[in-house]
Amino acid sequence: MMITVAIADLACVRGGTDEVLVTYALGSCVGVCLYDEIERTAGLIHIMLPWSRDAAYDDNRRRYADTGITELIGKMISLGASKSRLVAKIAGGAQMFGSASWMFNIGERNVEAAEHVLGAYDIPVIGRDVGGSCARTLYLHTDTGLAEVKTAMRQIRTL
Amino acid sequence: MRPDDLSPIHLDVLREIGNIGQGNAATALAAFSRKLVTIDVPCVRILDINEAAQFLGGPENVVTAICVRLKGDISGMMLTIMEREFVSDLIRLVFGAEPDDLYAMDDLQNSFVQEIGNILSGSYLNAVSAMSGMSAEVTVPSVATDMVGAILAVPAVECAALGTKVMFIEDSFTFADGFDENERVSGSAVRCNMILVPQMSSLEMLFDRLKV
């Protein structure tokens, strides 16, 4: 069964089933997968922006790397995951309109922020497919912790 | 004012701007394709990014998008989202050749697609300016062909102040091949969508100028 994670949203499940978490079309957004291999707890978040402190007005904590990842870790622990066993895989952080000089490279900053937040929680990033200029769809198989990245152009890549 | 606060009258105003803009756009498309171009009444909606992606064939649907940034009285961002058939049809009409790969268009085709985006976004902005007297400058357009979900996130990400609501104008243009037995225009309709993400302060100014 597929569980879709929308933009600026997250989901986590107690794995060991055939459920797959999926988030579609990550552009400059970053998808972060967290997995506890022993408890088979899996979580996925689709973040849009790096830091919640830069928000002009906002009510959605899941939009930002710092508050979103923190919330996901908390939810996974309440499902039985152990923080010390969590590992992360990340994908996204592209620049969709590559050449436009007036755009900030928000993708790169999202990746930096996500890795910084994960580092602060001592969660190792064991797989990444980031940067470039193409959109990615990210699947997380909750029974194995296997992550797959699909793009419009190339073969599916396994993380 | 937040996008959710728009009243039915505000939406009517935006719809009317969509109408005039689409008329301008059809005139421009007819001029360079040298074909009769007919239009349907455009559909204007205020949508969340996730909803807009559903209207455009789902987040993974691959489209060609042209993005311009707006500055001046009207600030924000405008995206022209074209189905692949629309791009192929236009390239066929103008170059007389099939584009082999929309991911890897040559420089000429790429700048042609940029120009289409320029013309279409200009058509809508002129409609706004003509009605309200507000000015808008556009940056050089940039083009991307990729999943629509990722493209729709760009305005919300680049201008965080814009929030995640977008104004969605669904257009349908028919390039006429001729007339059928009932003397109605025949030809294939192609869909093109304009996504306008104005800064809320610009919208407030617009409604203020129009006294609604």
Side-chain angles (χ1 to χ4, degrees), chain A residues 57 63 104 106 135 137 153, chain B residues 2 60 103 144 146 157-158 164:
Chain A
Y57 66 88
R63 202 184 309 283
F104 313 108
I106 201 88
T137 288
M153 291 286 285
Chain B
R2 302 270 308 252
E60 288 188 298
Y103 293 107
D146 214 317
V157 163
E158 291 290 332
T164 58

Side-chain angles (χ1 to χ4, degrees), chain A residues 6-7 24-29 48-49 54-57 59 63-64 95-100 102-106 110 133-137 139 150-153, chain B residues 2-3 49-50 59-60 62 65-69 77 79 101 103 114 139-140 142-144 146-151 153-154 156-158 160-164 200:
Chain A
I7 295 177
Y24 296 105
L26 294 156
S28 61
C29 298
M48 288 177 83
L49 293 164
D54 297 334
Y57 66 88
D59 36 7
R63 202 184 309 283
Y64 305 94
Q95 196 173 17
M96 296 309 296
F97 293 92
S99 59
W102 49 268
M103 289 190 192
F104 313 108
N105 195 345
I106 201 88
N110 278 336
S133 62
C134 68
R136 299 167 169 91
T137 288
Y139 299 90
K150 189 170 109 185
T151 67
M153 291 286 285
Chain B
R2 302 270 308 252
I49 296 172
N50 285 320
E60 288 188 298
V62 174
I66 301 122
C67 179
V68 293
R69 179 123 198 195
M77 209 179 263
L79 290 169
D101 186 357
Y103 293 107
Q114 266 182 334
T139 56
V140 176
S142 26
V143 182
D146 214 317
M147 297 182 193
V148 71
I151 284 165
V154 170
V157 163
E158 291 290 332
L162 302 179
T164 58
M200 286 318 288

Side-chain angles (χ1 to χ4, degrees), chain A residues 103-157:
Chain A
M103 289 190 192
F104 313 108
N105 195 345
I106 201 88
E108 200 174 283
R109 288 169 53 206
N110 278 336
V111 173
E112 272 168 23
E115 293 192 333
H116 187 274
V117 174
L118 292 166
Y121 285 109
D122 286 322
I123 297 174
V125 178
I126 59 166
R128 61 162 66 73
D129 182 28
V130 298
S133 62
C134 68
R136 299 167 169 91
T137 288
L138 175 62
Y139 299 90
L140 174 60
H141 295 268
T142 64
D143 52 346
T144 56
L146 203 78
E148 286 176 318
V149 179
K150 189 170 109 185
T151 67
M153 291 286 285
R154 48 156 221 235
Q155 300 275 313
I156 286 179
R157 183 169 164 196

Side-chain angles (χ1 to χ4, degrees), chain A residues 4-72:
Chain A
T4 304
V5 177
I7 295 177
D9 205 356
L10 59 81
C12 54
V13 292
R14 193 73 191 267
T17 62
D18 58 355
E19 277 163 329
V20 178
L21 299 177
V22 58
T23 196
Y24 296 105
L26 294 156
S28 61
C29 298
V30 169
V32 179
C33 303
L34 292 179
Y35 195 67
D36 175 340
E37 203 172 29
I38 305 295
E39 289 294 326
R40 294 186 186 279
T41 318
L44 176 61
I45 182 166
H46 184 139
I47 57 177
M48 288 177 83
L49 293 164
W51 304 106
S52 58
R53 60 169 184 260
D54 297 334
Y57 66 88
D58 214 328
D59 36 7
N60 186 359
R61 289 154 31 106
R62 298 173 178 185
R63 202 184 309 283
Y64 305 94
D66 53 351
T67 45
I69 291 172
T70 304
E71 186 184 341
L72 182 60

Side-chain angles (χ1 to χ4, degrees), chain B residues 2-169:
Chain B
R2 302 270 308 252
D4 315 282
D5 300 337
L6 295 176
S7 71
I9 294 169
H10 291 145
L11 286 177
D12 272 346
V13 169
L14 296 178
R15 203 166 283 130
E16 184 53 24
I17 290 170
N19 271 322
I20 300 170
Q22 193 193 24
N24 294 349
T27 308
L29 288 174
F32 79 74
S33 68
R34 297 186 188 172
K35 290 218 168 196
L36 182 63
V37 176
T38 62
I39 53 181
D40 290 335
V41 178
C43 186
V44 179
R45 299 184 184 92
I46 305 293
L47 297 174
D48 194 71
I49 296 172
N50 285 320
E51 296 169 315
Q54 290 309 323
F55 273 101
L56 291 166
E60 288 188 298
N61 186 29
V62 174
V63 297
T64 295
I66 301 122
C67 179
V68 293
R69 179 123 198 195
L70 313 177
K71 286 185 243 167
D73 292 341
I74 304 160
S75 62
M77 209 179 263
M78 193 156 194
L79 290 169
T80 307
I81 304 220
M82 308 192 290
E83 300 280 345
R84 275 178 293 182
E85 298 81 60
F86 188 90
V87 183
S88 311
D89 280 0
L90 286 176
I91 289 178
R92 206 177 299 119
L93 276 170
V94 171
F95 294 91
E98 200 74 22
D100 355 296
D101 186 357
L102 292 181
Y103 293 107
M105 287 186 288
D106 62 32
D107 285 351
L108 189 62
Q109 292 179 347
N110 204 53
S111 92
F112 168 72
V113 172
Q114 266 182 334
E115 191 49 33
I116 301 291
N118 230 354
I119 290 171
L120 291 177
S121 35
S123 302
Y124 287 90
L125 290 172
N126 287 341
V128 181
S129 295
M131 279 173 83
S132 65
M134 290 164 77
S135 69
E137 293 163 43
V138 297
T139 56
V140 176
S142 26
V143 182
T145 297
D146 214 317
M147 297 182 193
V148 71
I151 284 165
L152 284 174
V154 170
V157 163
E158 291 290 332
C159 329
L162 302 179
T164 58
K165 295 279 185 191
V166 299
M167 177 179 156
F168 184 93
I169 306 165

